[in-house]
Amino acid sequence: MATVALENVGKVYPGGVEAVKGVTLDIPDGSFTVLLGPSGCGKSTLLRMIAGLETITTGTCRIADRIVNDVEPADRDIAMVFQNYALYPHMSVYDNMAYGLRNRRTPKDEIDRRVKDAARILAIGDYLDRKPRALSGGQRQRVALGRAIVRDPKVFLFDEPLSNLDAKLRVATRIELRKLHERLGTTSIYVTHDQVEAMTLGDRVVVMREGTVQQVGPPLELYNKPANTFVAGFIGSPPMNFADVSFTERDGRLVAEADSIQIVVPEPMRRRIGRSTGRTATLGIRPENLRIATPDADRSNAITGVVQVVEHLGAESLVAVDAGGHLLIAKADPTVAFASNETVRLTPDPEALHFFDSTSGAAL
Amino acid sequence: MEKRVVFRSAWLPYALLAPQLVITAVFFVWPASQALYQSVLLEDAFGLKSQFVWADNFTALFRNSDYVSSFGRTAVFSILVAGLAMGIALLLAVMADHVIRGATTYKTFLIWPYAVAPAVAGALWVFMFNPRIGIVAYAMHSFGYDWNHQIKGEDAFALITVAAVWKQISYNFVFFLAGLQAIPKSLLEAAAIDGAGPGKRFRSIVLPLISPTSFFLLVVNIVYAFFDTFGIVHATTSGGPAKATEILVYKVFNDGFIGLDLGSSAAQSVILMTIVILLTVVQFKYIERKVAY
Ligand SMILES: Nc1ncnc2c1ncn2[C@@H]1O[C@H](COP(=O)(O)OP(=O)(O)OP(=O)(O)O)[C@@H](O)[C@H]1O
Ligand SMILES: [Mg+2]
């Protein structure tokens, strides 16, 4: 077990692509840290630099307080699970798992014990003699996990290991990964572009964008206190609604307003916004925090709009509302029926309002 | 579900197959059957009469020390050619696989020799190794080796081996490179993380994964050494000096067209034909059984 510490790590690929830009990140011992971001943001590159599969252009990478910039992957004491599993197709499941141990000259009976142990934990004991091609996707994925855990490394690295599984298996494997982590307690770094995976698996989530870290924190903190519009929009499904508003004082209250939007800013938030009148900002409000009110509700703290589309998901309905040019999504009770073009009033949960600087996008 | 094209008219499928069938019949079935027929006949010296002799032509061959030594020579030759051509090609392919800049140029140059006709390749090597005017012979003279493939049997044998290997490397290279590039990079990365150094990775991952390619090439190379090297031998040494480079396929030509011993020559072709058929059967069997590792 070990910490991983990145200091100002950057990667420029030959050809000039700057995939990772000055990332500083501390990954505590025993944590399950998820690198989350859209495709091409540099998460795999960062993970591969930690693994030693890519050279580090600038900065330093430490594993267990040792600088590993120039250490071979084999000597970093890490194990990696690849997206395509990368099982050796010509070796049996047993040999796949034993390969790393044999290369390290582990005694035969010790290898046997460890492989059998891992096979038991992952319930792949029945397939030990099979070749990978005779396994299903889910079983291959377990073998890949097994190959990582038999080595008992300091750090586990995962690069989107679940993305080749079907939706149901993905959920099941997610839970097992979590249980496995609780059992082994090994520091894990997990790359994904799927925010649900990140939120459910990670005890810390690192949101990345274009090679930079946007925010680091526990999943709920990212959900409740996103540092900027990018994080706010990336986490949560359906994504947070945004609207450009300007502030005005009215009757001693601070009001954020735009066409058909009038929202009273609650007191603690008002203090944070500070000098306000005439200032513009981006209002953020999650679909689950928008309630659809009766048309006679308080007009001075509401968003008025016209229903465009209603999507029925079973447990809830998603109502798309056009509020003066802003398309807002609200989660609604599925038993309430809406007609297209019906005028509705949306009231936000005052505790769940977010305001962001309209130029930098940083949270106010 | 298997997709089948259904032809409504009865003759169209046959019409479509006809060109290939005609070519096979004219250039393969007909000559092969003629060879078979000839191989059991004994013709008189003037080609006027022929007599049915059962397998006498074959038994005579195996009692003939010239033929037996040609057989041994061909075996050594094909092992050398297959081994060297494959070994060098694999080495080049591994290196080309690592090249990043200018990779296409390298690959193009490496593939060129394959486009050279065997006789032209032979002529090329004859010039370079010519004991009087050849540049390679000249270089060897200056190192103190008296190269003369026109007189020394082993020099001549080395010459046809080098020429045959040179010509086959390109072909092998293309297949090995394709085989190497078909190995997912992540496998080698996983092995690197698993503590395998470059040599170990090559032996335990790369070699087993390209073994189907290697086996295919082995058969192709042996067939090549047995048959397609005729042009090279003919252009460089004509089987000489003193039969030192007379491999089986050249002997067929020599005995049949120069010596005009048609029965023996036909019997030799039948033996060669049997060898190819056996090799091909082995290959198909193996490939069917073990498509991938
Ligand atoms: N070997 C390479 N050479 C040049 N550029 C590369 C290389 N690998 C990745 N890149 C570039 O670096 C950037 C980051 O790539 P990376 O693979 O880290 O993204 P990612 O966040 O893992 O995306 P995804 O979710 O699609 O896997 C991309 O712009 C990509 O095009
Ligand atoms: Mg990636």
Side-chain angles (χ1 to χ4, degrees):
Chain A
M1 282 202 256
T3 57
V4 176
L6 303 176
E7 207 180 306
N8 239 329
V9 167
K11 173 74 186 180
V12 181
Y13 278 112
V17 180
E18 199 179 353
V20 173
K21 301 165 192 163
V23 168
T24 299
L25 192 62
D26 274 312
I27 292 163
D29 187 13
S31 77
F32 199 114
T33 300
V34 178
L35 304 181
L36 173 68
S39 185
C41 71
K43 2 180 241 305
S44 294
T45 305
L46 192 61
L47 191 77
R48 291 166 58 81
M49 284 195 284
I50 299 172
L53 298 173
E54 298 288 351
T55 55
I56 298 173
T57 315
T58 57
T60 54
C61 171
R62 284 189 180 80
I63 298 177
D65 300 322
R66 176 172 69 130
I67 295 183
V68 293
N69 285 35
D70 298 319
V71 176
E72 287 292 315
D75 303 325
R76 294 191 182 195
D77 203 3
I78 46 130
M80 182 155 167
V81 178
F82 292 81
Q83 181 171 358
N84 62 0
Y85 315 140
L87 298 178
Y88 312 123
H90 56 298
M91 296 184 197
S92 67
V93 168
Y94 186 98
D95 291 338
N96 260 282
M97 295 205 275
Y99 184 73
L101 296 173
R102 288 189 185 133
N103 287 336
R104 290 182 168 73
R105 311 206 181 291
T106 315
K108 250 199 163 71
D109 44 340
E110 169 77 5
I111 293 180
D112 197 58
R113 194 181 57 73
R114 288 215 212 169
V115 171
K116 297 261 163 74
D117 265 1
R120 192 172 35 75
I121 293 174
L122 296 165
I124 47 175
D126 293 345
Y127 321 124
L128 286 178
D129 294 329
R130 288 205 206 162
K131 296 276 171 65
R133 95 183 103 90
L135 299 178
S136 72
Q139 290 162 346
R140 285 180 205 182
Q141 153 63 239
R142 284 156 183 282
V143 176
L145 280 177
R147 189 170 66 181
I149 66 178
V150 286
R151 295 238 328 272
D152 192 20
K154 286 203 189 93
V155 183
F156 285 135
L157 305 174
F158 301 91
D159 193 352
E160 311 212 20
L162 304 186
S163 55
N164 285 345
L165 302 179
D166 67 49
K168 216 169 147 188
L169 199 54
R170 193 150 48 205
V171 174
T173 316
R174 212 162 68 197
I175 294 167
E176 281 190 40
L177 268 178
R178 189 68 229 180
K179 283 202 293 200
L180 195 65
H181 177 69
E182 269 152 31
R183 176 175 189 151
L184 302 172
T186 311
T187 312
S188 303
I189 308 176
Y190 186 104
V191 161
T192 181
H193 61 257
D194 179 349
Q195 50 111 2
V196 179
E197 230 168 72
M199 301 292 278
T200 50
L201 271 173
D203 41 43
R204 290 168 82 254
V205 177
V206 178
V207 181
M208 290 185 63
R209 176 198 197 181
E210 291 172 8
T212 59
V213 171
Q214 300 287 305
Q215 190 173 3
V216 183
L220 282 184
E221 187 181 309
L222 300 195
Y223 177 84
N224 290 323
K225 294 199 186 87
N228 54 39
T229 48
F230 179 78
V231 177
F234 201 75
I235 287 175
S237 169
M240 184 184 275
N241 297 301
F242 293 109
D244 295 321
V245 293
S246 56
F247 294 112
T248 39
E249 297 263 4
R250 194 167 296 153
D251 310 331
R253 297 191 301 182
L254 182 66
V255 180
E257 57 181 15
D259 286 349
S260 42
I261 297 179
Q262 279 206 352
I263 290 172
V264 176
V265 180
E267 204 45 42
M269 177 65 81
R270 179 180 185 168
R271 249 175 274 128
R272 240 183 298 150
I273 293 169
R275 189 190 59 80
S276 50
T277 308
R279 181 172 176 183
T280 61
T282 304
L283 162 71
I285 178 86
R286 296 193 184 277
E288 49 271 41
N289 298 325
L290 271 179
R291 288 233 331 277
I292 299 186
T294 45
D296 56 333
D298 179 12
R299 274 175 160 278
S300 66
N301 186 25
I303 301 166
T304 314
V306 178
V307 174
Q308 303 284 306
V309 188
V310 184
E311 292 178 318
H312 299 287
L313 302 181
E316 65 206 11
S317 295
L318 300 180
V319 185
V321 175
D322 179 10
H326 296 292
L327 190 68
L328 307 179
I329 310 285
K331 272 190 189 165
D333 188 333
T335 55
V336 183
F338 296 98
S340 287
N341 295 322
E342 184 183 341
T343 300
V344 289
R345 199 150 292 150
L346 305 170
T347 52
D349 176 357
E351 303 297 313
L353 289 173
H354 300 272
F355 289 98
F356 304 96
D357 188 281
S358 29
T359 45
S360 73
L364 295 178
Chain B
M1 265 296 284
E2 202 179 342
K3 243 192 178 168
R4 281 169 197 272
V5 178
V6 178
F7 290 107
R8 271 179 221 292
S9 85
W11 55 269
L12 183 60
Y14 297 102
L16 292 176
L17 279 174
Q20 186 61 44
L21 289 177
V22 168
I23 287 172
T24 313
V26 171
F27 291 102
F28 181 71
V29 179
W30 171 250
S33 62
Q34 282 299 301
L36 258 175
Y37 177 60
Q38 284 282 351
S39 70
V40 291
L41 295 181
L42 184 64
E43 209 156 328
D44 70 25
F46 304 101
L48 297 175
K49 272 189 306 184
S50 56
Q51 182 192 350
F52 188 73
V53 292
W54 290 104
D56 282 3
N57 284 329
F58 293 91
T59 46
L61 275 179
F62 286 99
R63 261 184 260 114
N64 181 340
S65 66
D66 263 6
Y67 187 73
V68 174
S69 64
S70 172
F71 219 110
R73 192 178 302 126
T74 310
V76 172
F77 177 68
S78 57
I79 289 167
L80 275 178
V81 169
L84 286 173
M86 287 174 67
I88 296 170
L90 181 57
L91 187 74
L92 289 172
V94 167
M95 295 198 290
D97 194 29
H98 288 182
V99 170
I100 296 166
R101 209 165 307 155
T104 331
T105 319
Y106 282 117
K107 287 171 201 166
T108 312
F109 279 136
L110 282 167
I111 290 164
W112 268 359
Y114 192 62
V116 178
V120 177
L124 205 75
W125 289 94
V126 162
F127 277 121
M128 288 200 295
F129 281 87
N130 185 297
R132 281 177 301 279
I133 58 168
I135 182 152
V136 181
Y138 178 77
M140 278 195 280
H141 281 301
S142 64
F143 282 112
Y145 184 78
D146 186 22
W147 173 272
N148 195 336
H149 67 262
Q150 290 162 346
I151 294 167
K152 291 197 229 169
E154 53 291 11
D155 284 4
F157 193 78
L159 177 60
I160 61 165
T161 307
V162 167
V165 166
W166 174 77
K167 195 154 154 34
Q168 191 62 8
I169 285 175
S170 328
Y171 183 86
N172 297 346
F173 170 78
V174 173
F175 278 87
F176 274 133
L177 188 65
L180 290 176
Q181 289 181 340
I183 299 176
K185 243 185 137 161
S186 58
L187 281 188
L188 300 174
E189 291 174 346
I193 290 176
D194 264 343
K200 179 84 203 245
R201 287 203 289 274
F202 188 75
R203 268 176 290 124
S204 60
I205 311 285
V206 176
L207 272 187
L209 290 187
I210 58 168
S211 66
T213 308
S214 311
F215 182 76
F216 162 78
L217 284 179
L218 182 66
V219 175
V220 169
N221 277 258
I222 291 176
V223 172
Y224 162 80
F226 262 78
F227 301 96
D228 286 354
T229 45
F230 174 82
I232 288 173
V233 176
H234 195 49
T236 49
T237 61
S238 302
K243 295 189 191 289
T245 55
E246 193 179 63
I247 55 173
L248 288 176
V249 45
Y250 201 77
K251 194 166 166 58
V252 170
F253 164 78
N254 236 358
D255 292 359
F257 293 88
I258 312 293
L260 289 179
D261 184 354
L262 291 186
S264 172
S265 169
Q268 292 177 32
S269 345
V270 170
I271 291 171
L272 280 180
M273 201 154 67
T274 316
I275 292 172
V276 187
I277 291 172
L278 285 181
L279 280 173
T280 316
V281 167
V282 168
Q283 173 160 31
F284 279 176
K285 272 250 150 92
Y286 182 87
I287 284 185
E288 261 172 30
R289 203 155 33 85
K290 300 188 112 188
V291 178
Y293 348 108

